[in-house]
Amino acid sequence: MTGWKCFEFKTPNVQKLLRFGFVPTDGGFGYATQILDGQFIFSMTVARDGELRTDVYDEATGEPYMLYQIPDAQGAFVGSVRAAVAEILQTVAQQCFETEIFKTDGAKNAISYVREIYGCEPEYLWEKFPANAVWRRRDNRKWFGAILTVSGRKLGLDTDEILEVLDLRMPPKKVREAIDGKKFFPAYHMNKQHWVTVLLSDAKEFGTVADMIDESYTLAKK
């Protein structure tokens, strides 16, 4: 149904759900509101495992209105119901859920480090590539890093596993010295002379990655 895509890579925040108006239920949290000038009641449940469900009921009869969930159902009226539901879903996704694309400790450490040291959050710039983000300096808006998900084969590895990586600026001499085909790779989708791709997995050796982030941030000022 239209509207579900906005929950891609999202996880619910309990406190935000409660502030929005969700109430605890046996299996999670529930919310209900009128739509279309009170003609229908929209209800939504967020299970504790993150599963979502929506229902629409006729206010006058209490009967469920199912057509909005049937893709082949056409017409102005069913379209207006879908639009009303989609608007609520977009709002809930923005106000009650948090983006959680990156799963490895290495990626989470990098995001936390950049947030704490430089006050920068990942910026998700591409609608077609929602699992890719960049960091930009706050003073000149230049990129100093990109955090991406990419198939191992695109890095030259013998695997189709989706990996989490960092693209960071580095002086050309250091780029040449760093690349080993295991942890450090020629920059993915960046200038291979001035950038390097770092494979993120666990929290090991994050001190080295933090130092590289610092250097990349400095180089982005020039």
Side-chain angles (χ1 to χ4, degrees), residues 143-198:
W143 296 9
F144 65 91
I147 183 164
L148 315 168
T149 57
V150 59
S151 166
R153 293 196 186 278
K154 293 186 177 180
L155 300 179
L157 298 173
D158 187 23
T159 178
D160 292 314
E161 181 183 359
I162 300 300
L163 305 174
E164 297 174 2
V165 301
L166 280 182
D167 279 351
L168 296 170
R169 294 175 182 265
M170 185 180 283
K173 183 174 185 296
K174 286 190 175 182
V175 170
R176 295 191 296 270
E177 293 173 348
I179 292 172
D180 60 9
K182 298 177 181 179
K183 177 78 173 180
F184 305 101
F185 300 85
Y188 178 70
H189 273 315
M190 292 290 191
N191 184 308
K192 290 178 171 49
Q193 183 179 358
H194 297 281
W195 292 74
V196 66
T197 291
V198 185

Side-chain angles (χ1 to χ4, degrees), residues 40-51:
F40 294 94
I41 299 295
F42 166 83
S43 71
M44 179 177 184
T45 58
V46 180
R48 296 191 182 278
D49 62 2
E51 184 178 351

Side-chain angles (χ1 to χ4, degrees), residues 17-146:
L17 287 170
L18 295 174
R19 285 197 298 269
F20 188 85
F22 281 81
V23 296
T25 65
D26 290 341
F29 301 88
Y31 173 78
T33 188
Q34 292 182 330
I35 60 173
L36 297 183
D37 297 324
Q39 295 181 68
F40 294 94
I41 299 295
F42 166 83
S43 71
M44 179 177 184
T45 58
V46 180
R48 296 191 182 278
D49 62 2
E51 184 178 351
L52 308 177
R53 173 175 174 170
T54 66
D55 293 287
V56 172
Y57 299 92
D58 187 294
E59 169 72 358
T61 66
E63 293 294 320
Y65 181 82
M66 306 296 296
L67 289 179
Y68 81 103
Q69 295 181 324
I70 301 174
D72 292 337
Q74 302 295 324
F77 188 77
V78 67
S80 66
V81 175
R82 286 197 189 105
V85 170
E87 183 177 358
I88 296 174
L89 294 180
Q90 291 280 353
T91 302
V92 170
Q94 292 171 4
Q95 297 187 20
C96 305
F97 283 66
E98 296 178 349
T99 301
E100 189 179 61
I101 294 172
F102 304 102
K103 308 296 184 182
T104 63
D105 289 340
K108 292 178 180 179
N109 284 347
I111 292 170
S112 296
Y113 180 81
V114 171
R115 177 184 296 126
E116 179 179 349
I117 301 301
Y118 300 110
C120 299
E121 296 290 341
E123 298 181 42
Y124 299 87
L125 303 179
W126 304 286
E127 184 176 350
K128 290 185 178 180
F129 303 100
N132 295 334
V134 302
W135 287 301
R136 293 192 277 196
R137 287 184 60 114
R138 299 172 69 179
D139 51 3
N140 60 16
R141 306 301 292 161
K142 286 188 176 181
W143 296 9
F144 65 91

